[in-house]
């Protein structure tokens, strides 16, 4: 019997070892995965009790944690909540995080490996863990101008510093108040969440970087860039520009917006074509260059890549395999060309910066609570989209647009502004998108901006990029230039 | 002093009661330290009740120790301190969860439930009384053999008691509780004890026929078909528990114990294989037929599917504890409501003491099991061997099933964590089991020549059986 008992003793030890091995797997190896889950209340509660670092514009917080007397020790609060909501995102107990709150979470709550030393010091000196602060590149005046400009409208504005790629303004309206979602009164946040999601104007949508729209005529900048870069065109090259461009393989034509030919000529120059935003002219240029040339040029401006991974932006796109009429439509930013306002701001910024498109960024610095810099973003070139000669030519053409063409509402006294309007048609039953993209001053650009208006509650006939979007771009550019 | 010359080497058995006393002091000290640490972490001071708690645990341990000195001086010195330590830590954790639940209730503006820790101390006292009764009344475990069939009958009655209408109550889908005289009992805990006595007694008589008759097949000694009766009965009873009481854990426990004892009695692995196949078949059929089994398995495979599920919550707690734990009083075990004191007390420990603490606790259980099996090895009579094996393995199986369930190793079943989980019946029954184990170990470790006179009928019985 004893040998059987001994075997049972071994079996019992094996059972216990299995328990220990499984617990080791669970608590030592799987712990990180489990602690990272969104439905893990312990971690959520603990994080809600951490003194989360602020999100700063300069030295002004737009999001910060204040001591709280309820079951969590700190309450996240957002100064100017709706204005900055597309950037900060929200920090909610029930609905997780978004925006910078999501993408810089480990820095803000202090758990990032780069803060490990700081944490050890805090433990030794018996201080409460405090998260790092995240300083943004935004320009408060530009942000405000953009936010005000979009009041009562559905749309987005993105402004970029062309030399560096710093995002100066990023606004999407209608917006929401992140304070409502960050409240410790969970019933209230639940009600707010339901209301925001049921809202047909979709305030939670980030129109500046996470939605794609047909860029319309603003895409003609890309087509013009491709044409000039091909070496077969100069700004004075005459192109076919009838009232309606006949398209191959089809019976429909590509008409100009005003139903006339281009500036009184069936063979306008490229400069005039851009000034008058002639569809037929750019359609014929597109047919001449072909889809590949257009796509390559678009990709050099950043199409097909995700920018601002910090905020989870989506990639803009040029259609995969268009046939000839589709190429002509794509050349004027229709058919299936899809871009974010950020992307169109990058096009303007690239031209402004001598053809060098800088990688856009939003997080300037990360600092510990005692202001020690942990990381600082350095400007980085994304692509040389066009040569500096072509950039100069495009700039002159864009200045002409603002001074003599469709972009007149963006003129600023004493400053040369370069710009391009756009009015993108979508479905017949919904208003077209009004676009404007520009930069200033033309000779030494400080700011490039793209404005997209999805719906402005005005009669359909009044919608044009020049009249609706250009004034907003003007205000934003003036704000950056301190005028 | 001069040393007397001796011609023969004489082995002087040592009682080791002094070692036991020292270990008991340590076990009490650790428990009290845990209690104080919880007070410091949660309330910021050494709790005023520390004295009562320390006196309670210490006094109960001392009484048990004195009883052993008096009536079982050769009993194993490690088992009692292990049990006291587990019991003491369990009360401390129950107290800790009491505090957590109270704070949560107050934060939510609800009236807090009364604390459970004092109840558990009361039940510990009852358990120690039963311990004394067993040590003082059962002077020789072999007397229990005479109660073989009585114990079997009692075990069956206790087992079906929760099914009696008006007496049994459903808790969390399992019907393993009875409510009488204003209190709740889990008769299965005592049924386990009775059935081990029955299995041991029965197998002492039948082991020859079960061992010798049979034929070889594929290198295995298989029993005769008609000898399969007992195993089929045990299988049927355990399936009945599974089906009618919806209690997977007890079902596994009863059947497993019977199988282990059968194996020890006959030393034939064939029984284990037949039993294993029967168990696997039963479990498979049950998982196909019964929703509650399916749900357990589904929760085990995908613990996070159910929103706010217990298993997921327990796993989160342990993950939050990590390797070193949040520290006593600094986790959030109360998120599991009162399960943090009962079924999931192990995950509460995993959260606050971490992997380190959990492994220490599992090792203490292992120590009890292995000391119990060591007692079985040293025991001189077959009944005692089987009884000690059964009692020790009941611990091993129960710990494996509940800890494995809580940590996600196997599907969760509702067994109590011995000595730690909140619950009177379980605690009292476990103290009786420990007393019996100590009683047998006293017999096993005692000098060959009886140190105490053994009554005539015991010797007669022993002779008759051998």
């Amino acid at each position: 019997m004893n040998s059987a008992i001994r075997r049972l003793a071994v079996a019992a030890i094996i059972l216990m070892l299995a328990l220990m091995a499984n617990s080791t797997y669970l608590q030592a190896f799987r712990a990180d995965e489990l602690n990272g889950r969104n439905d893990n209340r312990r971690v959520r509660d603990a994080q809600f009790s951490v003194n989360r670092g602020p999100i700063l514009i300069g030295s002004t917080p737009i999001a910060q944690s204040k001591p709280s007397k309820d079951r969590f020790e700190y309450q996240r609060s957002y100064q100017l909540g709706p204005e900055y909501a597309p950037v900060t995102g929200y920090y909610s107990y029930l609905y997780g995080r978004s925006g910078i709150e999501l993408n810089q979470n480990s820095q803000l709550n202090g758990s990032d490996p780069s803060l490990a030393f700081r944490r050890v010091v805090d433990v030794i000196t018996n201080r409460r863990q405090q998260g790092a602060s995240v300083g943004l590149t935004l320009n408060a005046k530009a942000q405000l101008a953009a936010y005000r400009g979009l009041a009562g409208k559905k749309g987005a504005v993105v402004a970029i510093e062309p030399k560096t790629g710093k995002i100066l303004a990023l606004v999407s309206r209608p917006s929401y108040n992140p304070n409502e979602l960050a409240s410790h009164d969970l019933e209230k946040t639940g009600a707010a969440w339901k209301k925001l999601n049921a809202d047909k104007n979709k305030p939670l949508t980030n129109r500046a970087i996470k939605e794609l729209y047909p860029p319309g005529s603003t895409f003609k900048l890309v087509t013009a860039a491709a044409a000039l870069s091909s070496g077969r065109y100069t700004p004075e090259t005459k192109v076919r520009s009838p009232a309606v461009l006949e398209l191959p393989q089809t019976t429909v034509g590509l008409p100009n917006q005003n139903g006339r030919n281009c500036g009184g000529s069936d063979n306008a120059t490229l400069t005039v074509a851009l000034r008058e935003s002639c569809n037929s002219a750019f359609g014929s240029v597109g047919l001449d260059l072909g889809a590949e040339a257009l796509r390559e040029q678009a990709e050099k401006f950043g199409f097909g890549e995700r920018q601002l991974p910090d905020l989870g932006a989506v990639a803009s796109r040029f259609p995969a395999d268009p046939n000839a009429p589709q190429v002509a439509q794509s050349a004027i930013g229709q058919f299936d060309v899809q871009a974010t306002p950020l992307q169109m701001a990058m096009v303007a910024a690239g031209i402004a910066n001598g053809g060098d498109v800088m990688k856009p960024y939003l997080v300037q610095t990360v600092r510990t609570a005692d202001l020690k810099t942990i990381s600082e973003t350095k400007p980085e070139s994304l692509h040389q989209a066009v040569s500096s000669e072509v950039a100069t030519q495009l700039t002159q053409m864009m200045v002409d647009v603002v001074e003599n063409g469709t972009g007149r509402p963006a003129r600023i006294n004493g400053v040369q502004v370069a710009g391009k309007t756009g009015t993108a048609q979508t479905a017949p039953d919904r208003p077209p998108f009004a676009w404007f993209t520009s930069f200033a001053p033309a000779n030494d650009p400080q700011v490039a901006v793209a404005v997209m208006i999805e719906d402005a509650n005005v009669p359909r006939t009044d919608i044009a990029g020049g009249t609706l979007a250009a004034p907003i771009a003007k205000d934003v550019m003036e704000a950056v230039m301190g005028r | 002093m001069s040393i007397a010359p001796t011609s023969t080497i004489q082995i002087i058995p040592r009682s080791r009661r002094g070692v036991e006393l020292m270990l008991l002091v340590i076990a009490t000290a650790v428990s009290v330290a845990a209690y104080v640490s919880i007070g410091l972490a949660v309330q910021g001071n050494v709790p005023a009740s520390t004295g009562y708690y320390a006196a309670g645990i210490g006094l109960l341990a001392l009484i048990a120790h004195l009883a052993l000195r008096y009536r079982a001086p050769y009993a194993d010195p490690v088992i009692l301190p292990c049990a006291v330590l587990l019991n003491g830590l369990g009360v401390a954790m129950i107290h800790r969860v009491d505090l957590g639940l109270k704070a949560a209730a107050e934060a939510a503006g609800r009236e807090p439930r009364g604390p459970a820790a004092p109840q558990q101390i009361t039940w510990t006292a009852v358990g120690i009384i039963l311990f004394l009764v067993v040590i003082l009344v059962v002077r020789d475990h072999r007397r229990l053999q005479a109660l073989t069939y009585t114990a079997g009958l009692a075990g069956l009655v206790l087992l079906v008691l929760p099914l009696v209408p008006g007496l049994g109550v459903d808790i969390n889908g399992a019907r393993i509780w009875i409510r009488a005289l204003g209190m709740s009992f889990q008769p299965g805990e005592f049924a386990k004890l009775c059935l081990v006595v029955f299995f041991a007694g029965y197998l002492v008589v039948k082991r020859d026929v079960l061992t010798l008759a049979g034929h070889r097949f594929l290198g295995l000694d298989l029993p005769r078909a008609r000898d399969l009766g007992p195993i089929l009965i045990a299988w049927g009873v355990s399936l009945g528990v599974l089906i009618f009481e919806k209690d997977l854990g007890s079902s596994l426990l009863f059947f497993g114990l019977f199988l282990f004892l059968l194996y020890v009695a006959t030393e034939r692995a064939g029984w284990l294989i037949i039993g294993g196949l029967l168990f696997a078949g039963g479990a498979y059929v049950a998982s196909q037929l019964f929703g509650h089994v399916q749900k357990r398995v589904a929760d085990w495979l995908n613990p996070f599917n159910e929103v706010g599920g217990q298993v997921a919550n327990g796993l989160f707690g342990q993950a939050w504890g990590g390797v070193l734990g949040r520290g006593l009083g600094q986790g959030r075990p109360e998120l599991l409501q009162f399960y943090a004191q009962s079924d999931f007390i192990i995950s509460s420990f995993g959260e606050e003491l971490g992997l380190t603490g959990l492994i220490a606790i599992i090792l203490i259980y292992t120590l009890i099991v292995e000391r119990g099996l060591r007692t079985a090895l040293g025991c001189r009579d077959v009944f005692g061997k089987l009884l000690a094996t059964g009692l020790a393995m009941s611990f091993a199986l129960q710990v494996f099933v509940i800890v494995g369930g809580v940590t996600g190793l196997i599907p969760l079943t509702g067994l109590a964590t011995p000595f730690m989980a909140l619950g009177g019946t379980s605690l009292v029954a476990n103290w009786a089991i420990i007393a019996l184990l100590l009683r047998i170990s006293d017999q096993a470790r005692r000098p060959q020549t009886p140190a105490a006179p053994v009554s005539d009928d015991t010797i007669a019985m022993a002779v008759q059986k051998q």
Side-chain angles (χ1 to χ4, degrees):
Chain A
M1 284 176 85
N2 279 359
S3 63
I5 294 173
R6 286 200 180 90
R7 281 191 206 110
L8 275 192
V10 173
I13 287 186
I14 290 173
L15 287 184
M16 297 300 156
L17 282 178
L19 290 180
M20 292 187 230
N22 184 59
S23 292
T24 306
Y25 167 64
L26 177 66
Q27 296 190 266
F29 298 102
R30 244 184 100 195
D32 284 347
E33 174 214 321
L34 292 177
N35 287 335
R37 287 179 64 98
N38 244 344
D39 51 354
N40 188 330
R41 250 194 85 182
R42 284 172 177 80
V43 177
R44 246 185 331 174
D45 285 3
Q47 290 186 346
F48 251 67
S49 286
V50 163
N51 188 358
R52 196 174 171 82
I55 301 174
L56 303 168
I57 306 284
S59 57
T60 312
I62 52 170
Q64 63 184 326
S65 291
K66 295 174 175 170
S68 164
K69 291 249 184 304
D70 52 30
R71 66 197 176 104
F72 304 114
E73 289 173 42
Y74 289 91
Q75 169 71 60
R76 196 72 166 157
S77 78
Y78 300 86
Q79 286 76 6
L80 306 172
E83 187 182 321
Y84 284 97
V87 178
T88 58
Y90 52 79
Y91 183 56
S92 166
Y93 184 82
L94 292 175
Y95 306 106
R97 310 171 277 264
S98 72
I100 290 286
E101 295 278 32
L102 173 65
N103 293 292
Q104 299 290 318
N105 184 48
S106 63
Q107 305 278 9
L108 289 168
N109 73 20
S111 68
D112 195 83
S114 64
L115 295 163
F117 175 72
R118 190 67 251 166
R119 271 200 309 280
V120 172
V121 172
D122 283 350
V123 166
I124 292 170
T125 56
N126 206 16
R127 273 200 314 198
R128 292 294 307 265
Q129 178 181 328
Q130 193 177 352
S133 68
V134 172
L136 302 183
T137 57
L138 293 180
N139 176 314
K141 285 180 188 156
Q143 183 82 4
L144 179 63
Y147 183 72
R148 285 196 178 147
L150 286 175
K153 304 179 177 76
K154 258 197 259 181
V157 173
V158 175
I160 298 178
E161 186 174 84
K163 289 188 185 67
T164 56
K166 283 181 188 174
I167 306 281
L168 299 175
L170 197 155
V171 173
S172 169
R173 284 193 88 159
S175 189
Y176 62 96
N177 188 346
N179 290 308
E180 289 177 1
L181 298 178
S183 165
H184 291 180
D185 184 336
L186 300 186
E187 271 178 36
K188 270 193 196 161
T189 66
W193 178 255
K194 269 200 197 114
K195 193 163 157 263
L196 287 171
N197 278 290
D199 191 331
K200 64 179 170 51
N201 289 324
K202 299 191 173 167
L204 287 173
T205 302
N206 191 336
R207 295 174 163 82
I209 54 171
K210 287 191 179 178
E211 297 290 309
L212 291 168
Y213 304 91
S217 301
T218 54
F219 191 78
K220 287 172 185 164
L221 290 174
V222 177
T223 306
L228 295 171
S229 298
S230 71
R232 291 190 277 131
Y233 290 82
T234 68
E236 302 312 317
T237 305
K238 296 199 168 174
V239 295
R240 246 156 40 79
S241 57
V244 178
L245 178 70
E246 283 173 23
L247 294 177
Q249 306 166 22
T250 174
T251 52
V252 295
L254 186 63
N256 284 335
Q257 190 76 15
N258 55 14
R260 293 193 287 272
N261 67 10
C262 201
S265 163
D266 280 358
N267 284 294
T269 62
L270 208 52
T271 301
V272 172
L274 194 74
R275 178 199 299 156
E276 303 295 330
S277 198
C278 300
N279 292 340
S280 60
F282 281 94
S284 66
V285 171
L287 285 174
D288 176 40
L289 295 171
E292 268 323 294
L294 291 177
R295 179 182 301 107
E296 270 176 35
Q297 185 62 67
E299 285 173 357
K300 282 183 184 171
F301 278 111
F303 277 73
E305 292 171 48
R306 280 183 57 175
Q307 304 305 329
L308 288 188
D310 278 352
L311 287 187
V314 297
S316 303
R317 61 168 186 251
F318 187 85
D321 192 17
N323 61 26
Q326 290 166 344
V327 171
Q329 287 185 316
S330 299
I332 63 164
Q334 299 282 173
F335 180 53
D336 203 18
V337 181
Q338 299 272 303
T340 59
L342 169 67
Q343 176 60 61
M344 295 323 289
M346 284 168 66
V347 171
I351 295 169
N353 195 38
D356 189 4
V357 183
M358 301 301 286
K359 195 173 171 164
Y361 64 97
L362 195 55
V363 173
Q364 180 69 61
T365 50
V366 177
R367 287 200 177 93
T368 58
D370 51 5
L371 299 180
K372 201 173 136 274
T373 302
I374 296 167
S375 70
E376 172 131 35
T377 314
K378 298 266 185 306
E380 209 180 307
S381 171
L382 192 64
H383 302 290
Q384 185 73 34
V386 290
S387 68
S388 61
E389 295 81 47
V390 170
T392 309
Q393 290 170 339
L394 283 169
T395 302
Q396 278 158 6
M397 290 163 71
M398 287 170 75
V399 168
D400 181 53
V401 168
V402 173
E403 290 185 348
N404 308 309
T406 52
R408 277 187 288 262
R411 279 181 299 190
I412 300 173
N413 265 344
V415 178
Q416 254 194 347
V417 176
K420 179 72 194 85
T421 57
T423 309
Q425 309 290 339
T426 50
D429 56 334
R430 59 144 297 142
F433 298 98
W435 284 86
F436 191 75
T437 179
S438 63
F439 59 89
N443 54 349
D444 177 28
Q446 294 174 28
V447 52
V449 60
V451 176
M452 184 281 302
I453 293 171
E454 192 181 326
D455 191 351
N457 288 316
V458 296
R460 197 184 165 97
T461 47
D462 290 357
I463 294 171
T467 50
L468 270 181
I472 300 175
K474 178 189 166 196
D475 288 348
V476 172
M477 291 186 292
E478 282 183 329
V480 174
M481 292 184 293
R483 293 173 68 93
Chain B
M1 262 180 122
S2 64
I3 297 165
T6 50
S7 54
T8 55
I9 299 165
Q10 198 183 358
I11 298 167
I12 304 165
R14 298 174 64 181
S15 76
R16 300 275 181 195
R17 292 274 73 76
V19 172
E20 180 179 77
L21 184 59
M22 193 189 75
L23 290 175
L24 281 173
V25 170
I26 295 173
T28 309
V30 169
S31 303
V32 173
Y35 193 82
V36 170
S37 159
I38 287 163
L40 284 173
V42 179
Q43 297 159 314
N45 54 25
V46 177
S49 52
T50 303
Y52 294 111
Y53 173 84
I57 300 283
L59 196 66
L60 291 173
L62 187 65
I63 291 171
H65 170 71
L66 292 177
L68 289 183
R69 271 190 192 270
Y70 175 51
R71 276 293 161 79
Y74 292 97
D76 186 291
V78 179
I79 294 178
L80 179 64
C82 285
V84 168
L85 179 56
L86 292 171
N87 197 152
L89 286 176
V91 173
M93 181 52 78
I94 289 167
H95 170 64
R96 188 265 168 277
V97 176
D98 277 344
L99 295 177
L101 287 174
K102 185 161 167 263
E106 280 165 359
R110 277 181 284 115
E111 188 65 24
R113 198 179 56 118
Q119 283 174 35
Q120 186 79 346
I121 292 197
T122 310
W123 282 113
T124 306
V126 176
I128 296 289
I129 291 171
L130 190 60
F131 178 93
L132 297 181
V133 169
V134 172
I135 292 292
L136 300 180
V137 173
V138 185
R139 302 282 292 280
D140 186 327
H141 65 269
R142 284 167 290 190
R143 281 166 177 261
L144 291 176
Q145 198 181 347
L147 298 174
T148 298
Y149 289 95
T150 316
L153 188 64
L156 277 179
V157 168
L158 287 169
L159 217 48
V160 298
L161 221 44
L163 296 175
V164 176
L167 203 58
V169 283
D170 271 29
I171 295 179
N172 292 324
R175 197 177 174 89
I176 51 177
W177 292 80
I178 58 166
R179 194 163 279 160
L181 308 169
M183 289 196 287
S184 297
F185 303 94
Q186 216 175 339
E189 291 285 344
F190 281 100
K192 177 175 67 187
L193 185 56
C194 294
L195 288 176
V196 170
V197 173
F198 168 67
F199 291 158
Y202 176 83
L203 289 171
V204 166
V205 180
K206 297 285 180 169
R207 58 186 288 241
D208 285 348
V209 66
L210 291 171
T211 312
L212 298 177
H215 42 82
R216 284 183 77 80
F217 179 70
L218 294 175
L220 283 170
D221 289 313
L222 293 179
R224 291 184 306 187
R226 66 175 182 203
D227 295 328
L228 281 171
I231 195 170
L232 288 176
I233 290 171
W235 182 61
V237 169
S238 70
L239 271 186
V241 171
L242 172 60
I243 295 166
F244 296 110
E245 304 190 1
K246 303 183 178 173
D247 184 4
L248 286 73
S250 301
S251 165
L252 172 67
L253 185 65
F254 298 144
F255 191 61
L257 277 179
F258 179 72
L259 215 53
F260 287 149
L261 292 190
L262 190 60
Y263 171 61
V264 171
T266 62
E267 295 196 299
R268 290 177 64 168
W271 286 114
L272 285 180
I273 291 167
I274 292 169
L277 290 175
L278 279 176
F279 177 77
Y284 176 75
V285 170
S287 73
Q288 295 300 304
L289 290 183
F290 304 110
H292 62 280
V293 182
Q294 279 168 9
K295 185 172 175 340
R296 296 284 194 184
V297 173
D299 285 350
W300 171 57
L301 293 174
N302 293 301
F304 302 107
N305 279 1
E306 188 192 357
V307 177
Q310 288 175 27
V311 179
N313 204 328
L315 295 180
F316 280 153
Q318 290 164 70
W320 189 224
V323 173
L324 295 176
R326 310 302 302 180
L328 275 173
Q330 294 175 346
R332 303 281 307 279
E334 71 276 6
L335 287 179
L336 263 163
Q337 303 300 323
F338 64 89
Y339 294 109
Q341 311 173 306
S342 52
D343 290 15
F344 280 82
I345 197 160
I346 276 296
S347 100
S348 303
F349 276 106
E351 179 170 359
E352 301 215 321
L353 293 182
L355 175 63
T356 324
L358 204 53
I359 285 187
I361 288 170
I362 295 172
L363 283 175
I364 298 171
Y365 280 119
T366 312
L367 215 52
I368 294 181
V369 173
E370 297 299 329
R371 281 280 164 168
L373 290 172
R374 165 127 199 80
T375 298
L377 280 179
C379 191
R380 292 173 203 118
D381 66 290
V382 173
F383 176 72
K385 272 184 190 301
L386 288 172
L387 191 54
T389 305
L391 297 175
M393 286 311 284
S394 81
F395 260 100
L397 272 180
Q398 192 150 356
V399 169
F400 178 76
V401 168
I402 182 64
V403 177
V406 167
T407 57
L409 183 62
I410 56 172
L412 179 71
T413 58
L415 279 181
T417 316
F419 287 112
M420 287 190 147
L422 178 64
T425 338
S426 162
L427 192 56
V428 173
N430 281 320
W431 275 114
I433 288 175
I434 289 294
L436 264 185
L437 264 184
L438 288 170
R439 165 52 68 217
I440 302 169
S441 78
D442 177 53
Q443 217 84 352
R445 292 160 50 94
R446 184 176 295 225
Q448 282 285 354
T449 46
V454 177
S455 64
D456 286 344
D457 54 359
T458 310
I459 294 170
M461 199 172 71
V463 167
Q464 190 190 350
K465 295 299 169 200
Q466 270 161 8

